[in-house]
């Protein structure tokens, strides 16, 4: 069971990017799915989380600009990032609590770089 993230890149301030993260393998269900971000040498911080029922929560720094969503049929979580600022420049990681045969997994994607130029 693994997570595969994609969609990062370089964008100018005020622009938009959409991150995608898909879980694959033998999956019975997925609980929370989330996006975190981390700058070099810093701790990872929560950006947004979405429950299995679709309830989102956001860090104050991204409220009104970022939208997290999920497609349970595709075991995929998305992060739509609008009105990007240079301070949104981080490596972004997806997370999912995945339930498979006999156990649960705390899975992390490989990280995708988002760079916002001023």
């Amino acid at each position: 069971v693994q997570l595969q993230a994609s969609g990062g890149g370089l964008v100018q301030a005020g622009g938009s990017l959409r991150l995608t993260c898909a879980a694959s393998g033998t999956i019975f269900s997925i609980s929370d799915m989330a996006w975190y971000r981390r700058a070099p040498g810093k701790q990872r911080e929560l950006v947004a989380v979405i429950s299995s029922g679709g309830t989102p929560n956001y860090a104050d720094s991204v409220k009104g600009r970022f939208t997290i969503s999920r497609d349970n049929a595709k075991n995929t979580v998305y992060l739509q990032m609008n009105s990007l600022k240079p301070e949104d420049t981080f490596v972004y990681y997806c997370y999912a609590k995945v339930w498979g045969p006999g156990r649960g997994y705390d899975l992390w994607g490989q990280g995708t770089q988002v760079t916002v130029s001023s």
Side-chain angles (χ1 to χ4, degrees):
V1 184
Q2 63 180 355
L3 290 179
Q4 182 70 39
S6 61
L10 173 64
V11 64
Q12 287 190 330
S16 298
L17 282 174
R18 188 192 197 204
L19 304 183
T20 299
C21 180
S24 61
T26 303
I27 297 170
F28 290 168
S29 64
I30 302 178
S31 302
D32 286 352
M33 303 184 84
W35 290 94
Y36 287 76
R37 62 190 187 185
R38 182 171 63 190
K42 299 289 182 65
Q43 282 195 323
R44 197 160 38 198
E45 64 179 31
L46 178 66
V47 176
V49 59
I50 186 166
S51 70
S52 58
T55 301
N57 280 287
Y58 300 94
D60 288 342
S61 58
V62 306
K63 281 181 182 176
R65 301 188 298 122
F66 290 11
T67 302
I68 189 170
S69 61
R70 63 190 285 172
D71 184 333
N72 290 332
K74 295 181 179 179
N75 294 327
T76 299
V77 62
Y78 307 95
L79 186 68
Q80 178 66 44
M81 304 184 293
N82 298 329
S83 302
L84 282 161
K85 305 174 182 180
E87 51 264 43
D88 294 317
T89 296
F90 290 92
V91 177
Y92 285 72
Y93 298 87
C94 57
Y95 163 84
K97 179 70 176 188
V98 176
W99 299 92
R103 60 166 291 182
Y105 302 81
D106 288 302
L107 294 182
W108 292 93
Q110 80 280 20
T112 183
Q113 177 71 46
V114 171
T115 302
V116 185
S117 63
S118 57

